[in-house]
DNA sequence: GGATATATGTCAACAATGCTGACGTATATG
DNA sequence: CATATACGTCAGCATTGTTGACATATATCC
């Protein structure tokens, strides 16, 4: 029965280890977002704009409600940045064909360019970290971050889904 | 076109892999901070208060300038939350003995209790993720997050450097 | 076809948390 | 004694989250 090392395992989780994990997450995230935040500030935008542009780029034709679920914020909070991005020509809204109540979101060329500007450095950061750490470490990073997030979010990464 | 295979390496870093890493980080961080944020909101505080309480608990007697370096914010931003925490009795400031200009920070009992309240769920989250993922994965998570952060921050985790 | 639910948008007010700029005090150091 | 450093504070501004209320268009159910 104890053939699964996920239950009985050789991990000694000292307080120090847990604290270190908290700090790894904090410093990695802090530095990961720094450069994009600076670019955004130059254009009178913030991290919220980045997230919208990123996920619309990731899921072209995403509905507002799907986007709300990903971001886990209120529609009023989203509305502020989304309407700004539409007004400034980064995003276009297309009425859904199956459901005409929906406003399906797409990046414009301008929006695509912004997305690239913002994530180029982030991608390079990840690529460098992945290369230095190696394939086994990458799989470990994947497992642990998936374990940290809520099960609902975890499903987004299920194989053969999305 | 973003051709991500321009560098030859054993890792095939497709655009998809890099995007996934960005999202793993986003969802893990989003859910990791959610519960603590809710507790803080009940007490008219925010994530900034948590960070101060956390790092003061982590480094008793830390100076204001050291704390500023960790948080990477301005002293004016820190001042707002720090003076609130001192005023409300979560943190005490002790004049440095070697350098009397310094205001060395310590948690009070009340501050210690808050810190525990805020991080208990976070620790449990990490512990569960670590146990499920296993020791090898934990080492991978460590390597990758260290690779993502700036070299300056990485040094904080250097062996033999408390 | 009319009642009801859903998708989306908007106005208003408020709080937390970054920022810049300017200025002040105490203490250390050359 | 001059200057630098550690820390604090006041003021103003932008971003981004919240709650609450209300409006419109479209879908769906009986």
């Amino acid at each position: 029965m104890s053939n699964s090392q996920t239950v009985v395992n050789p991990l000694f989780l000292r307080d120090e280890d847990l604290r270190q994990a908290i700090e790894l997450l904090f410093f990695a995230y802090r530095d990961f977002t720094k450069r994009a935040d600076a670019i955004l500030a130059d254009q009178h935008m913030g991290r919220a704009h980045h997230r919208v542009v990123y996920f619309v780029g990731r899921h072209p034709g995403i509905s507002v409600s799907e986007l709300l679920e990903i971001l886990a914020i209120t529609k009023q909070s989203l509305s502020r940045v989304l309407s700004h991005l539409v007004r400034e020509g980064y995003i276009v809204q297309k009425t859904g064909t199956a459901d005409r109540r929906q406003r399906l979101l797409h990046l414009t060329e301008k929006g695509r360019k912004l997305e690239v500007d913002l994530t180029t450095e982030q991608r390079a950061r990840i690529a460098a970290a992945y290369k230095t750490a190696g394939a086994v470490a990458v799989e470990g990073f994947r497992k642990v971050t998936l374990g940290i997030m809520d099960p609902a979010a975890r499903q987004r990464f299920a194989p053969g889904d999305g």
Side-chain angles (χ1 to χ4, degrees), chain A:
Chain A
M1 52 173 69
S2 62
N3 52 3
S4 167
Q5 62 174 356
T6 56
V7 179
V8 178
N9 70 79
L11 235 47
F12 292 111
L13 288 178
R14 297 166 301 156
D15 180 73
E16 176 62 25
D17 297 321
L18 299 178
R19 279 188 176 272
Q20 185 173 80
I22 290 174
E23 291 164 31
L24 287 168
L25 220 39
F26 170 72
F27 288 108
Y29 202 80
R30 184 196 69 171
D31 293 342
F32 181 69
T33 56
K34 192 164 52 178
R35 174 87 180 105
D37 284 350
I39 295 173
L40 287 157
D42 287 346
Q43 315 187 27
H44 308 102
M45 290 194 276
R47 203 176 286 183
H49 298 86
H50 185 183
R51 295 203 269 247
V52 170
V53 165
Y54 176 84
F55 283 108
V56 171
R58 172 64 148 165
H59 304 290
I62 192 175
S63 71
V64 172
S65 50
E66 286 167 339
L67 187 52
L68 282 173
E69 202 183 324
I70 287 177
L71 300 174
I73 58 175
T74 61
K75 65 173 177 175
Q76 293 93 326
S77 294
L78 174 58
S79 173
R80 191 159 32 202
V81 294
L82 180 55
S83 47
H84 176 256
L85 289 168
V86 169
R87 206 183 317 118
E88 300 292 327
Y90 295 98
I91 285 178
V92 285
Q93 298 170 299
K94 298 181 182 172
T95 299
T97 50
D99 185 337
R100 292 177 47 79
R101 292 171 302 180
Q102 293 184 323
R103 298 289 171 269
L104 306 182
L105 308 173
H106 301 263
L107 291 186
T108 61
E109 256 323 295
K110 186 179 178 185
R112 176 64 61 189
K113 185 183 177 316
L114 176 62
E115 197 271 341
V116 170
D117 284 352
L118 292 173
T119 56
T120 293
E121 192 259 358
Q122 293 190 333
R123 279 181 232 252
R125 211 175 254 270
I126 298 285
Y130 270 19
K131 282 174 193 164
T132 301
V136 171
V138 168
E139 185 50 29
F141 170 74
R142 225 182 93 87
K143 279 185 185 163
V144 171
T145 48
L146 284 170
I148 291 172
M149 70 183 69
D150 286 353
R154 202 172 299 149
Q155 289 190 319
R156 298 188 168 278
F157 299 88
D161 181 69

